[in-house]
């Protein structure tokens, strides 16, 4: 990791609104809810999972399943991957109560570093069938005795966002809701037709100053078709914020932050003072999910 004092300011710093400041890390605590998750394996993948029936929700009922696909190198971080994937807070009472209870599954890519430090075994190298099969096995092994699954939601950040798009493209009838966040792999517009045909609801999230994809070149051309979808919420903020009202950015080898839209999405698109980050979502992402799960 580079010393942040040696790094140049991000290229977009000069475009920030007057009075804005850069927030170097999320304001929420990492690891507070790790003990609510178990670890298991199946179909050659390890995974973390959360069972709502262990935390006050009635057994014998069907609950939705939230599948979180982590970003590249996150599986190398041990339990911290639970947080980095955006899943940790979905085990909180606040989130769980909003959703009426939900299972959580975090598949782990078989990542490793070679002697040059390059990460291999990430989602870009894994077949969608592997992810599909581990989800199916988890449902059979961990939920059927408790009542099973109602609807299936897949959420992914960064390369996990790309895998979210890939696996829903290959198995569109299997999933009910897709939430790709900051996906480097911009979708082919054919996926929107598949979503409409299979009643998949889409929450598409990417910042306008994303470092991986140029918004005007890569994202804007998709918007007209996306806006015609049957079930869609498009979240393309001018700036990605942390809970302290600062514009999110982290020093990690080079100045990166606007790509990491997982920060505000993980904290339910709410500032620490309770103000919504998105006026169209006064109850945040969980409010949107709760409504979509009822449809």
């Amino acid at each position: 990791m580079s010393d942040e004092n040696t790094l140049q300011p991000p290229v977009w710093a000069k475009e920030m609104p007057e009075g804005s400041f850069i927030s170097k890390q999320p304001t929420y605590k990492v690891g507070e809810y790790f003990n609510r998750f178990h670890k298991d394996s199946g179909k050659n993948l390890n995974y973390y999972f959360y069972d709502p029936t262990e935390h006050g929700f009635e057994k014998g009922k069907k609950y939705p399943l939230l599948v979180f696909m982590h970003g590249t190198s996150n599986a190398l971080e041990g339990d911290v991957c639970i947080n980095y994937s955006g899943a940790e807070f979905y085990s909180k009472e606040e989130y769980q109560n909003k959703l009426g209870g939900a299972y959580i599954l975090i598949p782990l890519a078989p990542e490793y570093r070679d002697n040059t430090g390059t990460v291999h075994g990430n989602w870009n190298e894994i077949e969608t069938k592997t992810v599909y099969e581990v989800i199916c096995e988890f449902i059979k092994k961990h939920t059927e005795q408790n009542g099973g699954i109602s609807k299936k939601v897949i959420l992914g950040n960064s390369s996990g966002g790309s895998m979210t798009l890939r696996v829903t493209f290959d198995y569109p009838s299997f999933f009910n809701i897709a939430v790709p966040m900051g996906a480097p792999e911009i979708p082919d517009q054919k996926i929107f037709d598949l979503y409409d045909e299979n009643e998949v609801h889409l929450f598409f999230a990417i910042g306008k100053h994303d470092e991986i994809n140029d918004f005007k070149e890569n994202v804007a051309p998709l918007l007209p078709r996306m806006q015609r979808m049957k079930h869609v919420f498009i979240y393309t903020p001018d700036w990605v914020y942390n809970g302290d009202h600062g514009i999110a950015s982290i020093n990690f080898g080079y100045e990166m932050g606007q790509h990491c839209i997982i920060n505000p999405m993980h904290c339910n698109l709410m500032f620490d003072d309770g103000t919504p980050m998105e006026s169209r979502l006064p109850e945040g992402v969980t409010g949107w999910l709760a409504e979509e799960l009822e449809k």
Side-chain angles (χ1 to χ4, degrees):
M1 183 182 297
S2 300
D3 186 334
E4 66 176 76
N5 295 321
T6 68
L7 298 177
Q8 296 298 314
V11 295
W12 40 260
K14 59 182 180 295
E15 301 176 32
M16 294 192 306
E18 185 177 353
S20 298
F21 65 96
I22 290 178
S23 176
K24 291 293 185 181
Q25 59 186 358
T27 55
Y28 48 75
K29 182 179 178 180
V30 176
E32 188 173 0
Y33 303 99
F34 287 175
N35 62 1
R36 299 185 178 190
F37 291 83
H38 302 285
K39 196 169 186 179
D40 203 345
S41 62
K43 296 299 180 182
N44 299 317
L45 292 183
N46 294 322
Y47 57 80
Y48 291 99
F49 73 93
Y50 166 91
D51 183 340
T53 68
E54 296 179 351
H55 299 273
F57 289 92
E58 180 184 350
K59 291 189 177 183
K61 288 180 58 177
K62 289 186 176 181
Y63 295 98
L65 170 65
L66 311 179
V67 181
F68 285 84
M69 307 301 297
H70 63 76
T72 298
S73 80
N74 288 174
L76 301 174
E77 301 296 331
D79 291 353
V80 176
C81 184
I82 297 171
N83 181 276
Y84 285 179
S85 70
E88 181 181 2
F89 288 179
Y90 280 80
S91 71
K92 296 198 313 182
E93 288 83 358
E94 177 188 352
Y95 287 40
Q96 283 286 313
N97 289 338
K98 187 67 179 179
L99 299 174
Y103 289 93
I104 301 171
L105 173 65
I106 312 165
L108 300 175
E111 296 181 325
Y112 66 94
R113 293 186 188 275
D114 64 20
N115 55 14
T116 70
T118 302
V119 176
H120 299 278
N122 55 64
W123 295 129
N124 296 330
E125 302 172 8
I126 304 300
E127 293 184 359
T128 59
K129 182 180 179 181
T130 301
V131 174
Y132 168 75
E133 289 182 342
V134 78
I135 296 171
C136 291
E137 183 173 290
F138 170 80
I139 291 172
K140 185 174 183 62
K141 183 175 182 180
H142 289 289
T143 76
E144 286 188 349
Q145 68 270 29
N146 283 343
I149 294 300
S150 54
K151 291 187 176 181
K152 296 175 284 293
V153 184
I154 184 166
L155 313 91
N157 173 52
S158 193
S159 63
S162 294
M163 177 55 94
T164 294
L165 292 166
R166 287 169 51 206
V167 73
T168 52
F169 185 89
D170 289 345
Y171 300 93
S173 63
F174 183 73
F175 296 96
N176 302 99
I177 299 174
V179 187
M181 299 170 274
E185 183 178 313
I186 292 299
D188 186 297
Q189 295 199 35
K190 292 179 182 177
I191 198 171
F192 305 136
D193 295 331
L194 284 174
Y195 284 0
D196 280 346
E197 291 167 7
N198 291 276
E199 298 293 329
V200 179
H201 298 216
L202 172 66
F203 189 118
F204 183 83
I206 194 168
K208 286 190 172 72
H209 288 82
D210 184 89
E211 291 92 344
I212 306 301
N213 284 295
D214 181 274
F215 187 83
K216 291 183 179 179
E217 180 179 346
N218 302 118
V219 180
L222 300 175
L223 297 180
R225 173 63 186 93
M226 209 182 303
Q227 290 163 346
R228 296 195 304 272
M229 290 180 62
K230 293 162 68 174
H231 310 285
V232 65
F233 189 93
I234 302 170
Y235 181 59
T236 56
D238 291 328
W239 300 100
V240 173
Y241 288 94
N242 280 329
D244 57 3
H245 288 264
I247 294 175
S249 198
I250 57 173
N251 286 305
F252 190 84
Y254 66 101
E255 183 64 39
M256 171 69 81
Q258 291 293 290
H259 178 65
C260 297
I261 199 167
I262 189 63
N263 291 7
M265 291 287 285
H266 192 190
C267 63
N268 202 27
L269 291 181
M270 293 288 176
F271 290 111
D272 294 345
D273 60 12
T275 306
M277 296 182 183
E278 168 54 63
S279 60
R280 295 173 296 165
L281 296 174
E283 298 185 40
V285 183
T286 58
W288 181 87
L289 279 173
E291 288 185 3
E292 301 306 302
L293 287 169
E294 288 295 322
K295 293 179 180 178

